[in-house]
Amino acid sequence: MKVTINAAMTIDGKIATASGDSTISSKDDLKRVHRLRAGSDAVVVGISTVLADDPQLTVRLVRGKNPVRVVVDSRGRIPDDSQLLRTARKVRTIVAASMQASAVDVERIRQAGAEVILAGNEAVDIKALFSALKKKMGFKKILVEGGGELNWSVLNLGLADELIVTIAPRVAGGRLATTLVEGDGYDAISQGPKFRLARVQKTRAGELVLFYKVGKNT
Ligand SMILES: NC(=O)c1ccc[n+]([C@@H]2O[C@H](COP(=O)([O-])OP(=O)(O)OC[C@H]3O[C@@H](n4cnc5c(N)ncnc54)[C@H](O)[C@@H]3O)[C@@H](O)[C@H]2O)c1
Ligand SMILES: Nc1nc(=O)c(N)c(NC[C@H](O)[C@H](O)[C@H](O)COP(=O)(O)O)[nH]1
């Protein structure tokens, strides 16, 4: 199973401002993201992205099929009025929760038409989730669209094969702004995974799109 992380960030490495604005990619770059989605079996985001962006996670800007939408949501907090749950009967949607989710919320999410996968006691067990997506659902290509906490988990667990980052000609600043990779972080730079730059694209909007192959954590 191939796992790709895709995100857009400012020159100073932010994927959202401290107040949650993540309007970063140009229209051209968003078309590339939608093409990426159309070529993926599933697109995965963290619950904080859902709460901040209320995303549809569908293919709209180009022709192509919708991927299955997966939300990593340990406590089952996804709102009933979220676009994802409101359209869960039209576009297959999976909520990955942990034992922290109440039976009431699990049932509420199922009633909305989404499937629930339980994996993990506290945080969602991402390794177990990805294994289920591969073995139970037969998914071959997973697109992780953030945010920063989910990107950390996927990278730190060594689950990512590719990282695609769009650097927009913008600066967000803000010591509390969300960065590309959040989480506990490494003490030493050398502890983190290594990346091989495979391709660089420049867009008409002056963005740089960097395509990395992910090595294993050293
Ligand atoms: N610019 C971009 O490309 C981009 C992409 C996605 C999100 N964003 C922005 O990022 C922000 C959200 O990012 P974030 O880092 O706060 O949260 P996130 O979207 O990565 O969600 C993290 C949350 O998911 C849940 N979770 C459960 N198990 C987990 C696990 N094993 N690993 C990680 N998370 C787990 C936890 O509640 C955790 O706090 C929003 O402002 C959004 O707009 C930007
Ligand atoms: N590549 C990229 N550039 C951005 O500028 C941005 N904000 C995101 N954010 C990732 C997130 O998962 C969803 O792309 C958005 O929340 C919007 O998703 P929709 O258009 O509603 O499907 N991703």
Side-chain angles (χ1 to χ4, degrees), residues 7-8 15-16 22 46 48-49 53 74 77 124 126 145 147-150 153:
I15 62 170
S22 63
S48 299
T49 294
D53 298 354
S74 28
R77 289 186 287 158
V124 169
I126 302 291
E145 282 203 42
E149 291 292 342
L150 181 58
S153 294

Side-chain angles (χ1 to χ4, degrees), residues 114-163:
E115 298 161 57
V116 175
I117 293 179
L118 291 174
N121 295 318
E122 304 289 332
V124 169
D125 181 338
I126 302 291
K127 224 174 181 100
L129 170 63
F130 278 34
S131 176
L133 295 178
K134 176 181 176 183
K135 293 185 179 130
K136 284 197 186 138
M137 304 191 176
F139 294 164
K140 295 183 171 56
K141 293 181 82 174
I142 303 291
L143 174 61
V144 174
E145 282 203 42
E149 291 292 342
L150 181 58
N151 290 344
W152 160 258
S153 294
V154 173
L155 284 166
N156 188 46
L157 290 166
L159 295 173
D161 301 290
E162 189 180 35
L163 169 65

Side-chain angles (χ1 to χ4, degrees), residues 6-8 15 22-26 29-30 32-34 37 43-45 49 53-58 60 83 145-146 166:
N6 187 87
I15 62 170
S22 63
T23 321
I24 299 175
S25 284
S26 67
D29 191 49
L30 289 176
R32 176 188 63 77
V33 175
H34 283 227
R37 289 179 180 173
V43 57
V44 188
V45 293
T49 294
D53 298 354
D54 192 20
Q56 299 176 64
L57 301 178
T58 52
R60 304 185 303 282
Q83 294 199 88
E145 282 203 42
T166 299

